[in-house]
mmCIF file of all heavy atoms in Angstrom:
data_model
loop_
_atom_site.group_PDB
_atom_site.id
_atom_site.type_symbol
_atom_site.label_atom_id
_atom_site.label_comp_id
_atom_site.label_asym_id
_atom_site.label_seq_id
_atom_site.Cartn_x
_atom_site.Cartn_y
_atom_site.Cartn_z
ATOM 1 N N ASP C 1059 -3.750 -17.683 30.850
ATOM 2 C CA ASP C 1059 -3.576 -16.300 31.300
ATOM 3 C C ASP C 1059 -4.608 -15.415 30.544
ATOM 4 O O ASP C 1059 -5.183 -14.530 31.029
ATOM 5 C CB ASP C 1059 -2.119 -15.711 31.029
ATOM 6 C CG ASP C 1059 -1.107 -16.475 31.835
ATOM 7 O OD1 ASP C 1059 -1.584 -16.954 32.990
ATOM 8 O OD2 ASP C 1059 0.035 -16.571 31.434
ATOM 9 N N LEU C 1060 -4.747 -15.732 29.241
ATOM 10 C CA LEU C 1060 -5.721 -15.050 28.411
ATOM 11 C C LEU C 1060 -7.175 -15.183 28.923
ATOM 12 O O LEU C 1060 -7.946 -14.329 28.908
ATOM 13 C CB LEU C 1060 -5.624 -15.460 26.965
ATOM 14 C CG LEU C 1060 -4.232 -15.210 26.299
ATOM 15 C CD1 LEU C 1060 -4.131 -15.715 24.880
ATOM 16 C CD2 LEU C 1060 -3.671 -13.713 26.381
ATOM 17 N N ILE C 1061 -7.487 -16.456 29.369
ATOM 18 C CA ILE C 1061 -8.854 -16.802 29.793
ATOM 19 C C ILE C 1061 -9.091 -15.957 31.046
ATOM 20 O O ILE C 1061 -10.202 -15.319 31.248
ATOM 21 C CB ILE C 1061 -8.995 -18.300 30.036
ATOM 22 C CG1 ILE C 1061 -9.137 -18.883 28.576
ATOM 23 C CG2 ILE C 1061 -10.212 -18.617 30.929
ATOM 24 C CD1 ILE C 1061 -9.210 -20.417 28.563
ATOM 25 N N VAL C 1062 -8.197 -15.888 32.011
ATOM 26 C CA VAL C 1062 -8.395 -15.068 33.195
ATOM 27 C C VAL C 1062 -8.666 -13.613 32.774
ATOM 28 O O VAL C 1062 -9.562 -13.005 33.307
ATOM 29 C CB VAL C 1062 -7.099 -15.158 34.173
ATOM 30 C CG1 VAL C 1062 -7.162 -14.126 35.234
ATOM 31 C CG2 VAL C 1062 -6.919 -16.614 34.688
ATOM 32 N N ASP C 1063 -7.880 -13.189 31.870
ATOM 33 C CA ASP C 1063 -7.975 -11.801 31.371
ATOM 34 C C ASP C 1063 -9.392 -11.463 30.845
ATOM 35 O O ASP C 1063 -10.093 -10.617 31.181
ATOM 36 C CB ASP C 1063 -6.933 -11.522 30.313
ATOM 37 C CG ASP C 1063 -6.598 -10.030 30.213
ATOM 38 O OD1 ASP C 1063 -7.099 -9.195 30.857
ATOM 39 O OD2 ASP C 1063 -5.857 -9.742 29.166
ATOM 40 N N LEU C 1064 -9.843 -12.469 30.014
ATOM 41 C CA LEU C 1064 -11.186 -12.344 29.345
ATOM 42 C C LEU C 1064 -12.258 -12.507 30.389
ATOM 43 O O LEU C 1064 -13.372 -11.902 30.262
ATOM 44 C CB LEU C 1064 -11.398 -13.370 28.278
ATOM 45 C CG LEU C 1064 -10.474 -13.101 26.977
ATOM 46 C CD1 LEU C 1064 -10.482 -14.369 26.081
ATOM 47 C CD2 LEU C 1064 -11.050 -11.872 26.220
ATOM 48 N N GLU C 1065 -12.098 -13.422 31.380
ATOM 49 C CA GLU C 1065 -13.068 -13.572 32.393
ATOM 50 C C GLU C 1065 -13.316 -12.302 33.175
ATOM 51 O O GLU C 1065 -14.527 -11.826 33.464
ATOM 52 C CB GLU C 1065 -12.678 -14.664 33.298
ATOM 53 C CG GLU C 1065 -13.721 -15.020 34.402
ATOM 54 C CD GLU C 1065 -13.536 -16.511 34.899
ATOM 55 O OE1 GLU C 1065 -12.359 -16.964 34.897
ATOM 56 O OE2 GLU C 1065 -14.490 -17.111 35.269
ATOM 57 N N GLU C 1066 -12.323 -11.492 33.613
ATOM 58 C CA GLU C 1066 -12.420 -10.241 34.075
ATOM 59 C C GLU C 1066 -13.146 -9.267 33.175
ATOM 60 O O GLU C 1066 -13.917 -8.282 33.593
ATOM 61 C CB GLU C 1066 -11.056 -9.688 34.496
ATOM 62 C CG GLU C 1066 -10.416 -10.550 35.714
ATOM 63 C CD GLU C 1066 -8.888 -10.220 35.870
ATOM 64 O OE1 GLU C 1066 -8.434 -9.284 35.314
ATOM 65 O OE2 GLU C 1066 -8.334 -10.943 36.750
ATOM 66 N N GLY C 1067 -12.698 -9.358 31.869
ATOM 67 C CA GLY C 1067 -13.436 -8.456 30.902
ATOM 68 C C GLY C 1067 -14.933 -8.703 30.746
ATOM 69 O O GLY C 1067 -15.643 -7.710 30.609
ATOM 70 N N LEU C 1068 -15.305 -9.954 30.800
ATOM 71 C CA LEU C 1068 -16.791 -10.348 30.723
ATOM 72 C C LEU C 1068 -17.448 -9.744 31.993
ATOM 73 O O LEU C 1068 -18.632 -9.319 31.915
ATOM 74 C CB LEU C 1068 -16.868 -11.822 30.547
ATOM 75 C CG LEU C 1068 -16.582 -12.395 29.226
ATOM 76 C CD1 LEU C 1068 -16.722 -13.904 29.188
ATOM 77 C CD2 LEU C 1068 -17.347 -11.736 28.101
ATOM 78 N N ALA C 1069 -16.749 -9.797 33.155
ATOM 79 C CA ALA C 1069 -17.417 -9.219 34.394
ATOM 80 C C ALA C 1069 -17.565 -7.666 34.169
ATOM 81 O O ALA C 1069 -18.645 -7.100 34.502
ATOM 82 C CB ALA C 1069 -16.481 -9.542 35.580
ATOM 83 N N ARG C 1070 -16.578 -6.998 33.556
ATOM 84 C CA ARG C 1070 -16.793 -5.530 33.300
ATOM 85 C C ARG C 1070 -17.926 -5.354 32.328
ATOM 86 O O ARG C 1070 -18.713 -4.402 32.443
ATOM 87 C CB ARG C 1070 -15.449 -5.064 32.703
ATOM 88 C CG ARG C 1070 -14.339 -4.796 33.693
ATOM 89 C CD ARG C 1070 -13.191 -3.949 33.079
ATOM 90 N NE ARG C 1070 -12.691 -4.639 31.932
ATOM 91 C CZ ARG C 1070 -11.653 -5.489 31.970
ATOM 92 N NH1 ARG C 1070 -11.096 -5.890 33.038
ATOM 93 N NH2 ARG C 1070 -11.125 -6.005 30.809
ATOM 94 N N TYR C 1071 -18.012 -6.247 31.360
ATOM 95 C CA TYR C 1071 -19.107 -6.093 30.275
ATOM 96 C C TYR C 1071 -20.543 -6.293 30.975
ATOM 97 O O TYR C 1071 -21.405 -5.459 30.760
ATOM 98 C CB TYR C 1071 -18.934 -7.195 29.220
ATOM 99 C CG TYR C 1071 -20.130 -7.549 28.418
ATOM 100 C CD1 TYR C 1071 -20.615 -6.787 27.439
ATOM 101 C CD2 TYR C 1071 -20.761 -8.784 28.670
ATOM 102 C CE1 TYR C 1071 -21.768 -7.116 26.798
ATOM 103 C CE2 TYR C 1071 -21.867 -9.135 28.033
ATOM 104 C CZ TYR C 1071 -22.418 -8.277 27.025
ATOM 105 O OH TYR C 1071 -23.504 -8.677 26.247
ATOM 106 N N ARG C 1072 -20.652 -7.291 31.977
ATOM 107 C CA ARG C 1072 -21.848 -7.465 32.645
ATOM 108 C C ARG C 1072 -22.194 -6.200 33.449
ATOM 109 O O ARG C 1072 -23.388 -5.900 33.460
ATOM 110 C CB ARG C 1072 -21.682 -8.708 33.619
ATOM 111 C CG ARG C 1072 -21.880 -10.095 33.006
ATOM 112 C CD ARG C 1072 -22.187 -11.117 34.011
ATOM 113 N NE ARG C 1072 -21.219 -11.094 35.165
ATOM 114 C CZ ARG C 1072 -20.080 -11.792 35.200
ATOM 115 N NH1 ARG C 1072 -19.747 -12.459 34.123
ATOM 116 N NH2 ARG C 1072 -19.353 -11.719 36.284
ATOM 117 N N ALA C 1073 -21.186 -5.677 34.082
ATOM 118 C CA ALA C 1073 -21.479 -4.569 34.901
ATOM 119 C C ALA C 1073 -22.003 -3.310 34.094
ATOM 120 O O ALA C 1073 -22.770 -2.495 34.550
ATOM 121 C CB ALA C 1073 -20.284 -4.097 35.752
#
Side-chain angles (χ1 to χ4, degrees):
D1059 295 334
L1060 301 179
I1061 285 175
V1062 169
D1063 202 9
L1064 287 168
E1065 189 155 28
E1066 292 169 6
L1068 289 175
R1070 287 190 300 274
Y1071 159 76
R1072 277 199 311 274

